[in-house]
Amino acid sequence: MAKAGPPHHFTASVFVLDQTREHVLLVLHRKAAMWLQPGGHFEAGDADVAAAAAREATEETGLTGIRLHPQLAGLHHHPLAAAFGRCRSHLDLRFVTVVPQDAPRVSEESLEVAWWPIERMPEPTDPDLLPQLRRARQAH
């Protein structure tokens, strides 16, 4: 589960939806060079998987008071580009939260952070993101 662990490891992320569930908050990821949901690696101080996901979402968006839906929204396995160093793939545990559409802030891991209509996603993004978002917003 640790970033320093094996080249294939778990991460945690969050689909941050607005209260209408029509918009999603995405980050333009610096290493991946695409729009993705906030998330990342586990740290020693994380109490559990949900705590890691909430911490990552807070760090990457600047939003505070993030409370996750307790049920996982999904698990996604994806290979990584060479920019990720020794990490070769992530098994990403995905959660959902619904928050007011407040102004986010950019972290050092991201080039930009913005709200997007789910049905008009930005490019480039992971092609699996839209179908997963649609399922997550209906289930949560």
Side-chain angles (χ1 to χ4, degrees):
M1 291 181 72
K3 188 175 185 177
H8 308 280
H9 53 267
F10 285 101
T11 54
S13 68
V14 182
F15 295 131
V16 180
L17 304 176
D18 73 341
Q19 292 171 319
T20 68
R21 290 178 170 76
E22 296 296 322
H23 297 86
V24 62
L25 187 61
L26 299 177
V27 298
L28 183 54
H29 194 279
R30 191 174 297 278
K31 285 184 183 176
M34 66 174 65
W35 289 94
L36 301 169
Q37 74 280 4
H41 295 94
F42 297 93
E43 293 182 2
D46 294 330
D48 56 30
V49 173
R55 176 189 49 74
E56 284 287 339
T58 298
E59 287 175 3
E60 293 185 14
T61 68
L63 300 181
T64 58
I66 291 177
R67 291 189 291 183
L68 304 179
H69 188 282
Q71 181 183 351
L72 272 178
L75 172 66
H76 187 263
H77 181 240
H78 52 273
L80 300 171
F84 286 83
R86 62 183 297 287
C87 296
R88 292 292 167 238
S89 73
H90 285 162
L91 295 150
D92 192 37
L93 300 157
R94 296 180 170 181
F95 291 88
V96 172
T97 191
V98 176
V99 300
Q101 205 178 87
D102 293 337
R105 68 164 172 75
V106 177
S107 75
E108 58 188 50
E109 294 179 22
S110 305
L111 299 170
E112 192 174 343
V113 181
W115 288 99
W116 292 93
I118 291 174
E119 298 305 324
R120 290 192 310 268
M121 298 288 285
E123 291 293 334
T125 191
D126 180 343
D128 294 336
L129 187 57
L130 182 57
Q132 289 190 349
L133 272 170
R134 286 176 175 155
R135 282 192 304 274
R137 85 172 160 185
Q138 289 182 338
H140 298 87

